[in-house]
């Protein structure tokens, strides 16, 4: 094709001409180091979606770099954790430490938080700093905590009763440090959703109140009795509470039975109540939460995207030079910048990114292309080197012998996997058996040997670094489980043979490991692997949620501990103490709480408190637990338990469902971003693609073609055995997907708002387009 | 503006010219009655979204008209209900009727179903009839039922034991008759979702199995005991069932307590179990159900829309005449058609519709415009006549006297409403009081008087027909409640004074009515009114769902009755029979079922069965109920209860949530359809708009302008005091919204598939567009 060649030659002429022209005004090519640093700060922010406005002075930028360094972030997280874990050692404690120890540690934590905040204040413009609610929140929390500590220690020394109430503020540090953006957003969403929910809640309460009045009129005069022999539905408040519990379904059908026994017609009352309040209102709560969650999420995403573009534009403006009528960034500056922003990227990969940015090989990039850099840096390009097996290198004769070849063929045969699937199933049966039986305990060694030899064989056949690559989840899982089980079994056998004593803890762990081994069978079914991947992809989303739950639980646990500590005692599983029967509190004599042996469910330390709160979240029997605490502390307990129920079950669980639904839909509406497509196209163009799937012959062909194609360009560092692959073509979070979508809808000509404007965006500013058939339902 | 006038004149010239030209080939204007009938059938189908293919012979169309007539439909529904309600009178019965009575009635029902099906077969082409699964289903059901009836009666006469198993088929008639399209779709959706769910379910079961094995290894050797004294977690199947129950949360935290008492570390096992299985897997179920539900819903909607367009095109082709190069339908034919399709529409309104269709007053409509007719007919245009109060007509002097005017001003004053709000609150307190207190029972008369006078005053002030208009929900509600309460109170007082005897039933109803009166206070708060409207709009969707639930419940109730009837006996609320303690079945002695007085929860008649199934749906204590039945029937019961749980709680409840979420989002993404906008625009253009909100002066002005504007066109029947209003600008169902959206995305040039093609559309044919920022999240 001579025409094509000519064409290429022409382009190259143009390119060299352009570069020449660019270099002619060379004064423009060297860039001020300070400006470069500033641009790098902008780009880095855009890459990691940091929503921070910083000062542009060189000193502030140095500070800012330090602020975002993993070490200072790590230290902050560490002290937040220390602060939270202090609850383990403070009265009521799991392991009680002297007050002065915990106080000193807490003081150090506060000091670190102050330092961090001070550091931040040096970075951000003063006006912005003081307008930011989270800074104010941290300052107030630190001051209140200090005050509380002083008051508490003084009162304590002078022998007065004192409460460390400021401990409930601790999770605020966790929420308000800039690193926990996701968590903060979740909280902001909850806060934003509250007004809307409140109306539904009031209507819901009105509905329960009306039904209660009806129940009072219907049942109070009948003098029915409950199973426990108490008077059934005798006063209004009692009925109201019972019907509220019925909404949570915790006392169904018991609460209905006395009336139902009199006449089946009364059951209609309860059925209507449940339909209206449990199903309709609770669905309405879900719908309101979900709807608001989506609305505010969109606004946040919009802010993030604008902020990213704004920062990239600022960086562009710092680095741009004039070229003809347009502004561009020449490749030398671009390379300097990328080196500074992402020093960990190898030069070959940087070259690839440059190729993507400067698609037409002009020697410079325009504004549009420059803005894409933030996303480009986020794409994980994996460099794959084709490695030969280390044994083949060291002992080529042995590794390529007939026996070795035979083993390799066997291990690679599907039958090998099927055999192990069968072994796992047999293993499951043996695990179910009684391990004191010598046959079974010996079989365990056989199975262990089989599993270990499987791993060794695979390591013999596959290249070890490939076998233990990051993406090989199941190989890691198998090996860890097997090695741990081997070690556990050895430790256990050693303990047993040494003194006939076997530690229950070690045994328990060994048992768990043995059972976990069975999970591997899922990997053998394509369909389940897909489902499991979906679940694994949900994990990042769930972790944000877990953070949210921990914060809420922590606050309730601290309050619960202050209010109820020591009121309910647990005397051990087989205590003969008569007080054990009523949890050490005479008020509980004859209560359902004591009868069901719920004494362990108390607020006597933070671990117990967390477990109790989880039980309350699961809802079932929460009214019995609440009734137990009501018996020992009256009104406080009822308020505490109801508020917890509303906060966690009505709001948090619905947000969880919203989280999961969104994450799941995202999994189903995947689309590659334009940037990823561009990178992949370039990789393919350069013939550096991942060819694991393509047949060997084809691969060679492709490589040869590349050699020709790339003949006269400067690809020397890109060629050879390098292979690139995009690590993940899936968006891991709803967030990321939404960002990409919003970006794609953004018109390139649209004006990006300024920092100030971005800050003040509200969800109502955004006029959504008409819904489409695909979007709804 | 002389230019505008000239323009109008020109148009009018054109119009008259056109009409003249049309009339000149007058042979085209008369239309064959048979063709008109056929076109009317098509349009009527399109209007009501009937998805039926019918033969085009005149006889078939007459049959088809009869088939769709409300009377034949009503008869079918009636016999479906009769068939379903037969369960009340068959053993185990609420009121037992002799077998021959129920058999004869059932036979008549079957006869009617056969007739209906036969009728249908006369309408639809034979090939289509036999390819339709629902027809086959009905035929098979009828045959099986007949067979079963014969076998049952024979066996019964000869004294053998016999089961009327075919009764479970009865709900199929309910599902499969063409009228219940929504219900059928819901079922089809469930069926389509099943494969997807099955995979998740298997994985979920595997997860429970693995956890059970772990629990076995951890706890079995410890020989712990439960609160009831039984051995805790001693064998695998027991553990599996207990953990399955834990997934439903019904035995939390009891199932954990024995292990938790030994060590808090064991609680981690249960917490992880709950997180993985209750929260993650159940959310996954919801996500899968919701996702599939949406996917299939879209396909159904697409089919419906295509079918509608196809039918309108067929109708158009029947009525079209050539006009120049295009095909059109002249106004005379159009009017004939509309008269035939919707004889209930008054001529003035038909004129309005014609104006909308023939926007440019050409005297004919094109294909596009003709297709819109189906939607046009669906828009409820309310004709409002400004009426004078009847009292003003009869006694103008009295009605316009100063006193009367004063009363009118008072009633219209906001203070009047506030006063009554206060009265309602005071009333609530009195209702809560003890009604045997003479003060309170007298107060009731005072309140009744106050409420009645309120209604009478309002009727005096507002025009009665306007006061009791369809849209005035609260007026209807108030009046009905008050009148019913008045009647109840009078009946009660009469009973009391006549013999000192007061009927509990009457009293109960009076109490309920009194309490219901309080609901009216919601109407006084704008915010709650909006919420309540949302809830009211959800009702149509919920009714479909209710139908679905009834069908499923019915099947389970029939099976449960056959399997468990008489096993558990209820001896009345205060029975002294010793057997009442253990529900008449010695197997239940000492069981939790008997201890909690659950004897009334049995399958001894269909009402009890339904109530029990509702209790199982609410989930709480379902394991206790199941355990009771397991004690009396072993394996059957366990299978029955677990399958019910899976079917109803895992599938149906999730579908319910999907329903509600969708309906709620629809409420939030309302957009007027193009057709509605066109009608409204025309109404405004003609100045016939609803001007309740516009100031009186303005109204007059608008009217005057109209007079001028419409001067020389033939609006005589449209003018005068007529006012139009679109009854509802909201889509009532997800369905309708989706249809409109799909239609708007449909390109007018797109070819509409043929009947055959429409039938074979599958959800995977449809390639959705890229998701947009607004659609996701």
């Amino acid at each position: 094709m001579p025409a094509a060649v000519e064409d290429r030659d022409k382009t190259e002429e143009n390119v060299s001409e352009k570069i020449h022209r660019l270099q002619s005004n060379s004064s423009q090519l060297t860039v001020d180091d300070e400006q470069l640093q500033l641009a790098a700060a902008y780009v880095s922010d855009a890459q990691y979606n940091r929503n921070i406005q910083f000062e542009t002075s060189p000193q502030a930028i140095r500070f800012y770099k330090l602020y975002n360094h993993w070490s200072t972030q790590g230290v902050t997280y560490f002290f937040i954790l220390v602060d939270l874990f202090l609850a383990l050692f403070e009265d009521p404690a799991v392991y009680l430490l002297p007050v002065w120890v915990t106080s000193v540690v807490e003081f150090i934590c506060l000091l670190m938080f102050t330092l961090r905040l001070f550091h931040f204040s040096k970075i951000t413009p003063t006006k912005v700093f003081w307008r930011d609610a989270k800074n104010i929140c941290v300052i107030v929390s630190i001051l209140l905590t200090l005050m509380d500590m002083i008051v508490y220690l003084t009162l304590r020394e002078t022998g007065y009763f004192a409460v460390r109430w400021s401990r409930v503020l601790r999770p605020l540090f966790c929420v308000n440090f800039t690193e926990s953006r996701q968590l903060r957003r979740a909280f902001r969403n909850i806060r934003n959703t509250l007004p809307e929910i409140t109306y539904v809640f009031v209507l819901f309460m009105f509905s329960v109140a009306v039904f209660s009045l009806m129940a009072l009129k219907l049942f109070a005069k009948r003098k029915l009795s409950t199973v426990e022999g108490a008077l059934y539905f005798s006063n209004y408040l009692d009925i109201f509470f019972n019907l509220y519990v019925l909404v949570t379904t915790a006392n169904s059908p018991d609460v209905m039975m006395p009336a139902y026994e009199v006449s089946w017609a009364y059951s209609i009352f309860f059925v209507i109540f449940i339909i209206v309040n449990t199903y309709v209102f609770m669905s309405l709560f879900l719908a309101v939460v979900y709807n608001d969650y989506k609305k505010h999420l969109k606004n946040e995403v919009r802010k993030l995207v604008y902020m990213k573009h704004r920062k990239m534009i600022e960086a562009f403006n710092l680095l741009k030079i004039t070229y003809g009528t347009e502004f561009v960034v020449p490749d030398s500056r671009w390379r300097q910048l990328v080196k500074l922003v992402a020093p960990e990227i190898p030069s070959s990969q940087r070259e690839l990114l440059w190729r993507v940015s400067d698609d037409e090989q002009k020697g410079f990039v325009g504004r549009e292309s420059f803005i894409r850099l933030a996303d480009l840096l986020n794409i994980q390009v994996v460099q794959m080197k084709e490695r030969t097996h280390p044994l083949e290198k060291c002992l080529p004769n042995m590794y390529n012998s007939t026996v070795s070849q035979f083993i390799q063929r066997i291990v690679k045969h599907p039958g090998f996997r099927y055999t192990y699937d069968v072994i796992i199933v047999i293993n499951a049966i043996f695990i179910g058996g009684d391990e004191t039986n010598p046959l079974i305990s010996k079989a365990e060694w056989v199975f262990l040997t089989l599993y270990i030899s499987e791993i060794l064989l695979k390591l013999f056949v596959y290249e070890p670094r490939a076998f233990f690559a990051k993406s090989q989840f199941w190989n890691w899982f198998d090996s860890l489980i097997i090695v741990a089980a081997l070690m556990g079994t050895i430790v256990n056998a050693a303990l047993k043979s040494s003194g006939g004593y076997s530690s229950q803890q070690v045994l328990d762990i060994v048992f768990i490991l043995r059972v976990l081994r069975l999970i591997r069978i899922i990997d053998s079914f394509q369909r389940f692997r897909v489902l499991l991947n979906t679940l694994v992809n949900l994990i990042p989303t769930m972790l944000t949620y877990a953070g949210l739950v921990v914060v809420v639980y922590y606050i309730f646990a601290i309050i619960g501990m202050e209010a109820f500590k020591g009121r309910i005692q647990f005397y051990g599983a087989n205590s003969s103490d008569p007080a054990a029967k009523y949890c050490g509190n005479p008020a509980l004599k004859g209560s359902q709480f004591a009868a069901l042996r719920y004494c362990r469910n108390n607020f006597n330390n933070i671990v117990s408190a967390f477990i109790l709160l989880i039980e309350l979240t699961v809802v079932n029997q929460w009214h019995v637990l609440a009734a137990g605490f009501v018996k020992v502390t009256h009104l406080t307990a009822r308020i505490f338990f109801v508020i917890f129920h509303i906060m966690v079950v009505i709001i948090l669980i619905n947000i969880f469902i919203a989280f999961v639904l969104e994450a799941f839909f995202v999994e189903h509406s995947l689309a590659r971003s334009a940037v990823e497509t561009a990178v992949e196209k370039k990789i393919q163009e350069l013939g550096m693609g991942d060819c694991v799937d393509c047949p060997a012959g084809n691969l060679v062909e492709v490589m040869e073609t590349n050699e020709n194609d790339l003949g006269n360009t400067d690809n020397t560092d890109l060629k050879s055995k390098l292979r690139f692959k995009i690590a993940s073509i899936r968006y891991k979070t709803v967030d990321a997907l939404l960002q990409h979508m919003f970006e794609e809808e953004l018109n390139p000509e649209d004006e990006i708002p300024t920092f100030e404007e971005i800050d003040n965006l509200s969800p109502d500013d955004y006029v959504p387009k008409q819904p489409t058939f695909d979007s709804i339902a």
Side-chain angles (χ1 to χ4, degrees), chain A:
Chain A
M1 297 153 229
V5 172
E6 224 175 305
D7 248 23
R8 181 143 33 96
D9 283 355
K10 228 177 188 172
T11 327
E12 265 155 41
E13 255 180 351
N14 279 343
V15 169
S16 53
E17 199 183 305
K18 273 174 192 164
I19 290 173
H20 183 75
R21 273 209 346 233
L22 277 172
Q23 280 167 341
S24 64
N25 45 2
S26 60
S27 69
Q28 281 198 335
L29 272 181
T30 59
V31 62
D32 184 355
D33 183 57
E34 276 178 16
Q35 279 188 316
L36 193 65
Q37 290 286 354
L38 181 54
Y42 279 131
V43 173
S44 167
D45 270 16
Q47 184 191 351
Y48 294 112
N49 265 320
R50 283 191 213 105
N51 206 348
I52 299 172
Q53 290 180 44
F54 52 83
E55 295 262 26
T56 53
S57 74
Q59 199 204 1
I61 292 165
R62 264 198 305 281
F63 265 129
Y64 189 47
K65 237 179 144 176
L66 182 66
Y67 186 80
N68 286 326
H69 197 262
W70 63 266
S71 60
T72 51
Q73 293 205 356
V75 167
T76 313
Y77 277 121
F78 174 76
F79 279 101
I80 288 172
L81 280 183
V82 168
D83 197 33
L84 288 177
F85 274 106
L86 272 181
L88 284 171
F89 309 105
E90 292 167 331
D91 179 57
V94 178
Y95 307 102
L96 190 66
L97 287 180
V99 169
W100 67 266
V101 176
T102 56
S103 298
V104 167
V105 173
E106 183 159 15
F107 188 73
I108 295 171
C109 290
L110 290 180
L111 212 68
M112 295 307 295
F113 298 151
T114 316
L115 225 76
R116 179 82 177 160
L117 201 67
F118 183 71
H119 188 167
F120 185 63
S121 75
K122 286 278 150 209
I123 293 159
T124 201
T126 320
K127 216 176 112 194
V128 174
F129 180 84
W130 289 107
R131 229 186 33 214
D132 194 340
K134 64 177 181 292
N135 298 329
I136 309 296
C137 184
V138 170
I139 291 170
V140 170
S141 300
I142 290 174
L143 290 179
L144 283 178
T145 308
L146 275 178
M147 226 173 66
D148 180 42
M149 278 169 74
I150 293 164
V151 171
Y152 178 76
L153 289 175
T154 326
L155 282 175
R156 212 170 171 276
E157 282 310 299
T158 50
Y160 283 99
F161 172 77
V163 173
R164 267 305 313 278
W165 52 265
S166 70
R167 296 197 297 166
V168 300
L169 300 176
R170 281 178 193 164
L172 291 183
F173 297 120
C174 182
V175 175
N176 280 312
F177 273 103
T178 36
E179 289 75 21
S180 34
R181 183 162 50 85
Q182 298 262 13
L183 194 57
R184 208 154 50 236
R185 182 162 68 214
F187 266 96
R188 211 157 34 216
N189 275 332
I190 292 179
R191 207 185 52 207
N192 291 331
T193 311
L194 278 185
E196 191 73 22
I197 279 208
T198 308
Y199 287 110
V200 182
F201 190 75
V202 170
L203 196 60
F204 159 70
M205 278 300 190
F206 176 74
S207 156
V208 176
V210 167
F211 273 101
S212 302
L213 193 56
M214 240 183 252
L216 181 76
K217 299 317 284 181
L218 288 179
F219 306 121
K221 309 214 79 179
R222 299 190 149 268
K223 307 273 179 227
L224 304 174
S225 67
T226 63
V227 175
E228 287 93 31
L231 217 55
Y232 177 71
F233 275 8
S234 55
N235 75 69
Y236 186 75
L237 286 180
D238 192 43
I239 294 172
F240 189 86
F241 185 71
N242 268 305
L243 288 184
Y244 182 81
V245 174
L246 181 58
V247 174
T248 71
T249 77
N251 58 1
S252 157
D254 307 78
V255 75
M256 175 175 101
M257 290 318 292
Y260 184 28
E261 280 186 344
V262 173
S263 161
W264 67 266
Y266 286 132
S267 71
I268 296 172
F269 171 83
F270 291 96
V271 170
I272 293 176
F273 179 84
I274 286 177
I275 291 173
V276 170
N277 293 291
T278 305
Y279 292 110
V280 177
F281 268 106
M282 290 300 132
S283 303
L284 202 60
F285 276 121
L286 174 61
V288 169
V289 168
Y290 191 25
N291 213 50
D292 265 53
Y293 170 77
K294 292 208 304 193
K295 193 173 93 188
H296 290 108
L297 183 63
K298 266 192 219 168
N299 188 44
E300 302 265 345
V301 164
R302 202 158 50 110
K303 276 191 187 179
L304 276 183
V305 170
Y306 278 141
M307 191 56 110
K308 182 159 86 180
H309 280 228
R310 166 58 45 202
K311 293 210 162 176
M312 288 311 287
I313 289 170
E314 296 289 332
F316 181 78
N317 289 340
L318 285 167
L319 300 178
K320 71 186 175 189
I321 57 173
T322 48
Y323 172 73
T325 56
E326 35 174 5
F327 292 112
V328 296
V329 171
D331 68 342
S332 58
R333 287 189 183 187
W334 191 93
R335 273 173 232 263
Q336 273 178 294
L337 179 73
V338 173
K339 247 183 234 167
L340 206 61
V341 174
E344 74 283 359
I345 289 183
S347 63
S348 58
Q349 193 175 323
R350 192 160 59 237
E351 200 53 38
L352 176 72
L353 295 184
W354 172 249
R355 286 296 181 83
V356 177
S357 286
D358 181 21
D359 195 31
E360 295 162 37
Q361 306 198 16
K362 293 184 199 153
F364 56 82
V365 290
R367 199 178 100 143
E368 276 315 301
S369 183
F370 185 82
I371 287 175
R372 284 206 317 196
L373 177 60
D375 298 318
L376 222 46
L377 289 172
N378 266 334
I379 293 175
Q380 283 188 19
V381 179
V382 179
Q383 239 182 76
M384 294 177 300
K385 287 186 188 124
E386 275 167 33
R387 295 195 186 91
T388 47
H389 198 284
L391 278 179
E392 197 175 358
K393 261 191 217 150
C394 309
L395 307 162
N397 287 341
M398 194 279 274
Y399 197 72
N400 294 322
S401 69
T402 334
V403 181
S404 165
Q405 294 281 355
F406 181 69
I407 293 172
Q408 288 180 41
R409 228 173 311 135
I410 286 180
V411 173
K412 282 175 178 169
H413 194 271
F416 186 75
R417 217 187 63 206
Y418 295 144
T419 315
Y420 269 92
D421 286 348
V422 173
I423 289 173
I424 289 173
V425 172
I426 298 170
N427 191 188
I429 299 162
F430 272 85
I431 290 171
D434 181 9
E435 66 278 355
T436 52
N437 182 328
L439 179 74
I440 286 179
S441 64
K442 264 176 204 135
E444 175 56 24
W445 286 106
V446 175
F447 284 116
L448 262 182
T449 319
L450 280 171
Y451 290 130
I452 291 167
S453 53
E454 184 198 7
I455 293 174
L456 291 179
L457 277 172
K458 281 189 175 167
L459 280 178
F460 177 75
V461 174
Y462 302 106
E463 209 277 325
R465 272 167 298 183
F467 185 74
F468 284 121
K470 258 188 200 167
S471 55
Q472 299 297 314
F473 171 75
W474 285 108
N475 292 342
W476 277 100
F477 180 83
D478 273 6
S479 311
L480 285 177
I481 294 274
I482 298 296
V483 170
L486 181 68
M487 271 161 37
T489 312
I490 290 170
V491 168
N492 191 45
L495 282 174
K496 224 175 188 171
S497 66
S498 70
Y501 162 84
S502 100
S503 157
Q504 190 62 45
Q505 273 78 24
V506 174
L507 255 184
D508 281 351
I509 291 168
V510 170
F511 286 148
I512 290 173
L513 289 172
R514 275 186 207 164
V515 176
L516 284 179
R517 221 146 61 189
L518 305 180
I519 294 178
R520 213 195 61 176
I521 207 157
I522 297 173
D523 190 40
S524 299
F525 298 93
Q526 170 61 23
R527 190 75 212 199
F528 293 145
R529 212 151 49 198
V530 171
L531 268 177
L532 219 70
N533 277 340
T534 308
L535 285 179
V536 169
N537 285 346
L538 291 183
I539 288 177
T541 310
M542 297 228 180
L543 283 184
T544 312
Y545 181 77
L548 187 73
V549 169
V550 166
V551 167
V552 174
Y553 275 19
Y554 196 90
I555 294 170
F556 275 98
I558 294 285
I559 296 172
M561 278 154 65
E562 293 296 350
F564 310 120
K565 68 182 168 194
R567 299 296 178 100
I568 284 169
Q569 293 291 339
F570 176 63
Y571 285 77
N574 299 309
S575 166
S576 56
D577 191 323
K581 288 260 175 267
Y582 48 85
C583 311
N585 194 320
L588 285 175
K589 268 180 191 165
S591 70
Q592 218 189 333
F593 186 91
L596 288 169
R597 292 203 336 227
Y598 283 173
C599 308
R600 181 96 209 215
N601 298 316
N602 55 42
F603 278 101
N604 295 350
N605 63 54
I606 194 147
V607 175
S608 300
F610 261 75
I611 294 174
L612 177 53
L613 293 178
I614 291 171
E615 289 173 14
L616 292 179
T617 308
V618 175
V619 172
N620 197 55
Q621 296 290 66
W622 77 274
H623 61 302
V624 175
L625 292 166
F629 282 90
V630 167
K631 282 237 163 75
V632 298
T633 54
H634 307 284
L635 202 61
T636 333
R638 187 158 286 184
I639 295 171
F640 178 84
F641 281 84
V642 169
I643 289 180
F644 181 81
H645 181 261
I646 294 167
M647 279 292 298
V648 173
V649 180
I650 295 186
I651 301 177
L652 277 196
I653 295 279
N654 281 327
I655 287 196
F656 174 71
I657 297 177
F659 260 62
V660 172
L661 279 179
E662 280 303 310
F664 192 81
F665 296 152
V666 164
E667 281 279 322
H668 275 247
S669 57
L670 292 169
R672 258 176 210 211
S673 73
V675 177
E676 275 182 336
T677 316
V679 173
E680 191 143 87
K681 214 181 99 208
K682 188 54 79 176
I683 292 175
Q684 291 305 328
E685 252 177 62
L686 298 176
M688 304 272 157
D690 170 28
C691 268
V692 172
D693 297 331
C694 44
N698 206 4
L699 178 66
V700 176
E701 212 174 298
V702 169
M703 283 177 70
E704 277 173 4
T705 328
N706 298 338
E707 296 289 336
N708 297 343
D709 256 18
L710 303 172
N712 39 10
T713 46
D714 56 338
N715 283 315
T716 35
D717 55 337
L718 265 175
K719 272 185 286 181
S720 79
K721 285 213 154 182
L722 273 177
R723 284 273 167 285
F724 291 106
K725 192 177 110 181
I726 292 185
S728 164
I729 56 155
R730 312 205 124 195
Y731 299 102
K732 281 291 188 297
T733 60
V734 182
D735 224 42
L737 181 82
L738 281 174
Q739 279 191 42
H740 284 292
M741 285 189 185
F742 186 68
E743 268 169 2
E744 271 163 37
E745 282 177 27
L746 217 60
N747 211 314
E749 281 89 49
D750 279 356
E751 206 174 318
I752 304 295
T754 63
F755 288 125
E756 194 108 342
E757 283 164 3
I758 293 170
D759 234 25
N760 297 323
L761 286 173
S762 102
D764 305 319
D765 294 346
Y766 183 65
V767 182
K769 298 180 306 186
Q770 278 284 75
T772 62
F773 180 62
D774 284 311
S775 65
I776 303 291

